[in-house]
Amino acid sequence: MSLKEQFGKDVLLTGWGHSRFGKLTDETLESLIVQVATEAIGNAGIEPGQIDEIYLGQFNSGMMPLAFPSSLALQVSEQLANVPSTRVENACASGSAAFQQGTKSLLAGTAKTVLVIGAEKMTHAGADVVGSALLGADYDMAGKASTTGFTGLFAEVAKHYEKRYGPVSDILGTIAAKNHRNGVDNPYAQLRKDLGEEFCRTVSDKNPMVADPLRRTDCSPVSDGAAAVVLSVSPTGGATAPVRLAGFGHANDFFPAERRDPTAFAATRASWQRALGMAGVALEDLDFAEVHDCFTIAELLMYEAMGLTEPGEGARALAEGWVFKDGKLPVNVSGGLKAKGHPVGATGVSQHVIAAMQLTGTAGGMQLANPRRAAVQNMGGVGIANYVSVLEAV
């Protein structure tokens, strides 16, 4: 049973916008929001006054003094005066959290057209500020000093994985090289350089160890950027065909690390099962996936959580070529967070926009051959807040 069959109405992505990701010194949070919102509204072929509600995904957590940005999207047009707008925060999954809140407004019938935005400004803040803000998304490390920050937390996950299943260093290097190679074709990406497997697998002056076994190439960068999407219950006559949301899933895990199996990502797996179940499809029905590779170990675990391989066998997805651009389930054709960048509040919305571009044949150099169905997975914390969407070409 699809979402439409379950709820009796469509949820369509009818317009979208995307900024470049990177160190955007000439942009403010406001300018990024206005840019992508204007682009999404125009792409949808509607007037700003047709927007019934706005959701803004943003993490912030002290990275910016402005902690109340929900009305910034109203700067797009006088027509948006008095439109309800809400900031949504769920760590690095804030963008997908905002997307699902917009979806639920449509399903509830309280809106017919919703604007969803994800945005973040990070690069202006010092490394200590960014590190402290991100650690606020961890139960055990929030408010504590750390030399390795969130990298250290995922390094511990990698160490647990190695103890249970064997070495991962070269495997992670292959994932990094794949995503850097894909990022070359993404005009929005922060890192557009094919580094090669040897570089990504080797510790060097240019690729130092950040937290063993994670090297710099295993870590997503600090980024600025924004993305936006218009959600509607019917086609709006936009610049491209709409994209249908076929199913979605959300699951949260226990916050204390001691209550979680460090390599199982159980709630991540549950979010995949819920989204695929609502869409009435299986993993083999997908043509590609955009997943949350904040660190390369996260992508490896995603192969297992989505059911592409059994636990401990994620490396097989690489060895068999499944997740490469010409494989049976290309993963992170955009370059992922690893190469595209990770402005945390923007990431989930960006993933939906990139998927929509693929499904409408407008992805440029990133374009796959006629994809019809995709999944988007976004995660906050170490597998804590998990969101998956299944999207289909109309």
Side-chain angles (χ1 to χ4, degrees):
M1 177 180 291
S2 68
L3 179 151
K4 184 176 182 180
E5 291 168 333
Q6 183 172 339
F7 293 98
K9 62 177 69 176
D10 257 330
V11 173
L12 300 175
L13 288 70
T14 53
W16 42 83
H18 202 298
S19 80
R20 186 169 60 86
F21 282 5
K23 187 173 183 178
L24 309 180
T25 55
D26 294 332
E27 300 285 356
T28 64
L29 182 67
E30 179 179 334
S31 69
L32 286 168
I33 288 171
V34 170
Q35 174 194 332
V36 297
T38 301
E39 186 179 347
I41 292 168
N43 184 253
I46 62 174
E47 293 297 322
Q50 293 175 256
I51 300 292
D52 298 315
E53 198 164 2
I54 300 169
Y55 287 98
L56 169 66
Q58 189 218 20
F59 179 43
N60 192 356
S61 194
M63 290 184 288
M64 284 195 66
L66 180 64
F68 183 43
S70 58
S71 279
L72 289 179
L74 274 58
Q75 300 293 84
V76 169
S77 170
E78 291 288 335
Q79 294 180 43
L80 292 176
N82 303 317
V83 171
S85 185
T86 305
R87 175 191 172 215
V88 180
E89 188 280 309
N90 220 359
C92 296
S94 295
S96 283
F99 181 91
Q100 286 201 11
Q101 288 304 116
T103 294
K104 291 173 182 177
S105 287
L106 297 185
L107 295 178
T110 56
K112 292 184 178 179
T113 307
V114 174
L115 174 64
V116 178
I117 306 165
E120 207 77 64
K121 276 287 289 181
M122 304 173 69
T123 64
H124 64 283
D128 56 337
V129 174
V130 173
S132 177
L134 295 178
L135 281 177
D138 187 75
Y139 180 87
D140 301 290
M141 290 302 298
K144 296 180 181 178
S146 172
T147 57
T148 57
F150 237 83
T151 309
L153 299 178
F154 274 89
E156 288 301 309
V157 172
K159 289 176 182 177
H160 281 289
Y161 192 94
E162 288 188 316
K163 288 177 182 177
R164 192 171 293 182
Y165 301 117
V168 298
S169 182
D170 283 355
I171 299 167
L172 301 185
T174 299
I175 293 172
K178 170 183 72 71
N179 291 351
H180 275 287
R181 190 178 309 119
N182 289 344
V184 172
D185 296 324
N186 184 351
Y188 305 116
Q190 181 170 354
L191 305 174
R192 300 186 67 188
K193 187 175 183 180
D194 185 352
L195 298 177
E197 282 198 27
E198 185 63 27
F199 181 85
C200 293
R201 288 179 166 187
T202 305
V203 176
S204 64
D205 290 343
K206 292 186 176 180
N207 189 26
M209 188 71 74
V210 180
D212 190 26
L214 302 183
R215 298 146 298 216
R216 180 177 291 165
T217 49
D218 294 306
C219 310
S220 58
V222 173
S223 316
D224 306 327
V229 62
V230 173
L231 301 180
S232 310
V233 294
S234 59
T236 57
T240 67
V243 170
R244 176 176 291 112
L245 177 64
F248 61 90
H250 173 202
N252 271 50
D253 211 334
F254 295 107
F255 211 5
E258 64 183 18
R259 298 198 65 183
R260 289 178 273 119
D261 181 326
T263 67
F265 278 46
T268 310
R269 184 180 296 271
S271 64
W272 275 96
Q273 293 170 345
R274 289 171 182 173
L276 292 171
M278 182 184 290
V281 300
L283 195 68
E284 52 265 31
D285 296 316
L286 303 178
D287 294 309
F288 69 94
E290 288 287 322
V291 308
H292 193 99
D293 62 321
C294 50
F295 301 94
T296 50
I297 183 63
E299 179 166 328
L300 180 65
L301 284 166
M302 211 50 55
Y303 303 157
E304 300 173 14
M306 71 170 76
L308 187 58
T309 75
E310 293 297 316
E313 297 180 6
R316 185 183 175 198
L318 296 159
E320 300 285 344
W322 298 341
V323 294
F324 291 90
K325 194 169 183 178
D326 58 353
K328 69 176 185 180
L329 184 66
V331 172
N332 287 336
V333 175
S334 69
L337 286 58
K338 173 79 269 291
K340 182 180 62 177
H342 183 29
V344 290
T347 287
V349 181
S350 166
Q351 291 173 314
H352 285 85
V353 170
I354 294 293
M357 292 171 66
Q358 285 283 358
L359 294 170
T360 54
T362 58
M366 296 182 283
Q367 188 64 52
L368 295 167
N370 195 36
R372 305 299 297 167
R373 186 178 290 114
V376 165
Q377 180 268 332
N378 188 202
M379 177 174 68
V382 186
I384 302 299
N386 303 271
Y387 294 83
V388 175
S389 299
V390 176
L391 304 178
E392 296 177 341
V394 174

